[in-house]
Amino acid sequence: MTHGCRRSRWVIVAVAACFAAPAGAIELPPAPRRETPLVEAQTFLRHAREYTAAAHDLAKKHDCHATDGYYAACEAAWNAIWACPGSPDILLEAGELYNESLAGLLEAAQASGRLTPQGLWIGPKWKTICVPVIGKSLPIADCEIDSIEAFCPPADKRISRQHVRSGLGVPVVVRVKRGQEGTVGGDFAPLRQSLPVTAVLRFDMPGSENALEKFAGPLARDPAAAILDLANPIEIAAVHIGPVRPHLAADLTMPLLDMLAGMPRDNVLSFLQPYGDGDTEPRLEFLEPHQPGRIPVVFIHGLASDQGTWFDLLNELRTWPTFHRRFEPWLFHYPTGGAFMTSAAILRRDLRAAVRRLDPEGTDPALQNLVLVGHSMGGLHAKLQVVDSGTAVWDSIAKRPFEEIVIPPEHRRYVRNAFFFEPSPFVKRIVFMATPHDGSGLASRGVGRLASVTVAPPPAPTQIHDEVVLLNPGAFWPYFEKKLPTTIDILEPTAPILRAVRGLRIPCWVTTHSIIGKAHHSLLAGPDDCVVPVASARIEGVCSELVVPASHTKVHHHPDSVAELKRILTMHLRETGAAAVH
């Protein structure tokens, strides 16, 4: 909302009296009688109610003085808690009034441009004060705050429920300032990186106002000094108001909704035209600023999906304190209608670059124990990060050795990286979710064939493919010579590339787990999740396997899958020795 400026008038009535005293004597006024704590608190509460109601009226009229009215209401409610901390009734009503007025203050201040990372501006133009903004236990420095978002972001169907904690303070979102290109903060940050924060407006203990200021009213007197704390609700559990320790309010879902609101959503069109408008290049993103000592968990989505598919699972993991203290989520986004081997190569490159840049000396054990979690085709991408290709993948497309193929010098490294690779030594665990290790029958049926024909081929890989095939007649197998295979082609059970990947062995130092969906029974393929047969989702050598009653797109949302992932991550801490670090 936009606040217009309309001056509110407060009437100050001064009454003076002259008293005559006998010569040689000075009569002192009697000492002021101090009210009882309960009466004093009730007076503050009455003021808080009046100021809040008045501020609401001003806000409805878009009056800029609403911010100052809410500020005065916050102070009065805060003083009520100070005055009588032993009364549960006072604490309850004062806390509710404080939260209501602080929410109104932040929204009105943001709408009028008076809330910035540098401070909260209070008072009239001719006598404005700046309330300093201070971060408390945030994973970033105060100078890295890009904006403070007081308005609650819209709901999103991709998140099934909101996790909130009642208490004192108002949950808001802090957006992190994007780093410069060439820095970790610039190269691996998502389009919008948001953090959960609870705003608390702290005042000095009451009693600093003089009688005239109290009599004049909240908008006429100088605003009381205060500090706006932006507290990390994950690390801070309570607020200190004198002897009182009320719980700190929290909303752990709010920043996820804020990030989703700023994220372009993939759909069928973006799958069929993966290199159309928007940010379509594969990229690794840090959902939160990196903190040394936390183990990255890399989430890789499947076909016709995007990184937003993980937010419901991440929303549940946020309620688990161990995840916050010991892990951090990384997301890999790629155009799912693009080139499969190329996307896997970019993920391999980005993971190695991130680990090298974050820990160039190799002294952080957390960055040597990454966990990959892949849903559907994302599981195949995860597998390609830990296996040695040898010549198996190349032999599935070509009849001649790589050294005998004529490739333009500018493309030779690109082709080599896509088909020849070694395990990334820092990946120690993979969780496969509904992964079609043996493909899916849907890829070879009508709907799969139609999608394969309709998908727009990626320009650069297609150009390289056509040029290399032209320079080497008869060197490639007919299916590859004809066209660059789409992701749908690769998921056919008989696809040569899929069979080659299936035959690659996961090394013994990588622990694997499977979570498989079963929501349907096919006469041809047996039980499946409506897309991937249970038999295709199974892979030998896994440490554990869990079958959940869920369809393909719901496997990673199912409560049993969430609980299983927590169990696996707990096991990861124990087996890597990280559980004993803290």
Side-chain angles (χ1 to χ4, degrees):
M1 60 185 157
T2 304
H3 293 280
C5 274
R6 189 179 60 186
R7 182 171 301 176
S8 299
R9 304 181 184 276
W10 289 80
V11 179
I12 306 177
V13 181
V15 180
C18 297
F19 297 91
I26 299 177
E27 184 175 339
L28 298 177
R33 182 179 179 182
R34 178 159 179 88
E35 297 174 332
T36 64
L38 181 59
V39 172
E40 188 176 20
Q42 289 173 339
T43 301
F44 283 128
L45 273 181
R46 186 180 72 254
H47 291 162
R49 286 192 292 266
E50 293 172 354
Y51 300 160
T52 301
H56 283 333
D57 291 338
L58 292 172
K60 292 176 183 177
K61 300 173 184 177
H62 306 292
D63 192 312
C64 65
H65 289 113
T67 303
D68 305 313
Y70 284 127
Y71 188 86
C74 288
E75 181 193 0
W78 181 275
N79 289 345
I81 298 175
W82 262 105
C84 192
S87 170
D89 292 338
I90 294 292
L91 295 181
L92 178 61
E93 185 177 359
E96 291 177 347
L97 282 169
Y98 175 85
N99 287 351
E100 181 183 353
S101 55
L102 179 55
L105 167 64
L106 296 175
E107 291 183 6
Q110 182 183 351
S112 59
R114 300 172 75 176
L115 176 62
T116 71
Q118 290 71 43
L120 169 67
W121 302 92
I122 298 297
K125 293 181 179 181
W126 60 90
K127 204 171 187 180
T128 304
I129 67 168
C130 179
V131 176
V133 174
I134 299 178
K136 296 289 186 179
S137 298
L138 299 183
I140 59 173
D142 291 354
C143 62
E144 296 177 280
I145 298 176
D146 186 58
S147 66
I148 304 167
E149 303 297 322
F151 293 99
C152 189
D156 193 294
K157 293 182 179 179
R158 287 172 286 183
I159 293 183
S160 58
R161 59 178 176 170
Q162 196 155 358
H163 292 294
V164 298
R165 181 177 72 204
S166 60
L168 195 74
V170 175
V172 297
V173 165
V174 159
R175 292 180 185 167
V176 182
K177 189 179 298 182
R178 192 176 184 88
Q180 295 182 348
E181 187 176 352
T183 66
V184 171
D187 294 346
F188 295 104
L191 294 177
R192 181 182 292 176
Q193 192 177 61
S194 307
L195 301 176
V197 165
T198 301
V200 177
L201 189 62
R202 287 191 295 114
F203 296 89
D204 292 333
M205 65 180 298
S208 58
E209 311 95 332
N210 58 45
L212 179 61
E213 288 174 341
K214 286 185 177 180
F215 182 73
L219 299 187
R221 65 181 176 84
D222 292 337
I227 294 175
L228 181 62
D229 285 336
L230 300 179
N232 183 351
I234 299 168
E235 300 293 337
I236 300 175
V239 183
H240 291 188
I241 310 178
V244 185
R245 301 291 187 272
H247 291 298
L248 182 71
D251 188 337
L252 301 182
T253 307
M254 195 173 177
L256 294 176
L257 291 172
D258 186 61
M259 284 186 277
L260 283 174
M263 182 186 301
R265 184 167 183 174
D266 281 8
N267 50 31
V268 175
L269 180 60
S270 62
F271 168 69
L272 297 178
Q273 298 179 351
Y275 294 89
D277 295 335
D279 183 13
T280 57
E281 289 300 316
R283 55 181 278 113
L284 181 66
E285 299 176 345
F286 298 172
L287 198 64
E288 303 169 1
H290 172 69
Q291 298 181 63
R294 298 203 307 177
I295 299 174
V297 182
V298 186
F299 296 89
I300 313 166
H301 62 79
L303 280 178
S305 185
D306 59 24
Q307 63 270 48
T309 191
W310 293 110
F311 277 51
D312 196 36
L313 172 61
L314 292 171
N315 185 46
E316 300 306 315
L317 291 176
R318 278 176 176 263
T319 65
W320 183 34
T322 299
F323 188 79
H324 286 290
R325 292 195 302 266
R326 310 311 308 280
F327 299 97
E328 61 185 29
W330 293 3
L331 304 176
F332 181 63
H333 168 67
Y334 62 100
T336 62
F340 171 64
M341 299 303 298
T342 300
S343 295
I346 293 175
L347 173 57
R348 191 178 306 112
R349 180 201 67 191
D350 284 359
L351 285 175
R352 292 178 180 180
V355 171
R356 181 177 63 252
R357 293 170 65 178
L358 292 173
D359 187 31
E361 303 298 327
T363 58
D364 188 351
L367 291 174
Q368 301 302 316
N369 289 287
L370 268 66
V371 179
L372 307 186
V373 181
H375 174 251
S376 190
M377 178 166 268
L380 298 180
H381 280 297
K383 180 178 179 179
L384 289 179
Q385 308 307 306
V386 299
V387 294
D388 189 330
S389 65
T391 64
V393 182
W394 177 258
D395 292 342
S396 71
I397 68 166
K399 302 176 184 178
R400 300 176 191 169
F402 179 77
E403 291 73 16
E404 297 180 11
I405 301 297
V406 179
I407 304 176
E410 65 271 20
H411 300 324
R412 194 165 191 85
R413 184 178 179 182
Y414 175 90
V415 176
R416 178 184 289 276
N417 289 343
F419 293 96
F420 296 91
F421 41 86
E422 296 176 350
S424 297
F426 46 78
V427 176
K428 297 299 194 302
R429 193 176 300 266
I430 296 178
V431 182
F432 297 111
M433 290 187 170
T435 299
H437 298 284
D438 287 323
S440 170
L442 286 180
S444 56
R445 296 174 196 162
V447 62
R449 292 290 86 227
L450 177 61
S452 178
V453 172
T454 310
V455 169
T462 299
Q463 180 183 353
I464 295 173
H465 165 272
D466 295 345
E467 188 173 351
V468 172
V469 167
L470 184 63
L471 291 173
N472 300 272
F476 295 93
W477 296 108
Y479 86 94
F480 188 83
E481 192 175 59
K482 181 180 179 181
K483 68 167 186 171
L484 183 67
T486 67
T487 48
I488 293 292
D489 296 329
I490 290 174
L491 287 180
E492 289 189 26
T494 58
I497 293 180
L498 178 66
R499 295 174 67 180
V501 173
R502 181 68 171 88
L504 300 178
R505 295 297 171 222
I506 297 174
C508 60
W509 65 81
V510 178
T511 305
T512 56
H513 307 264
S514 289
I515 299 177
I516 301 170
K518 186 174 73 171
H520 174 259
H521 193 282
S522 170
L523 295 178
L524 297 177
D528 58 34
D529 61 10
C530 302
V531 175
V532 177
V534 171
S536 177
R538 286 198 162 115
I539 186 173
E540 64 278 357
V542 296
C543 177
S544 66
E545 177 183 290
L546 176 69
V547 179
V548 299
S551 62
H552 186 72
T553 58
K554 299 297 182 182
V555 169
H556 51 308
H557 299 269
H558 197 278
D560 291 349
S561 299
V562 178
E564 174 70 355
L565 186 56
K566 289 181 179 180
R567 185 193 69 80
I568 291 170
L569 293 178
T570 302
M571 179 189 301
H572 188 70
L573 290 177
R574 183 172 63 250
E575 293 182 353
T576 59
V581 174
H582 294 287

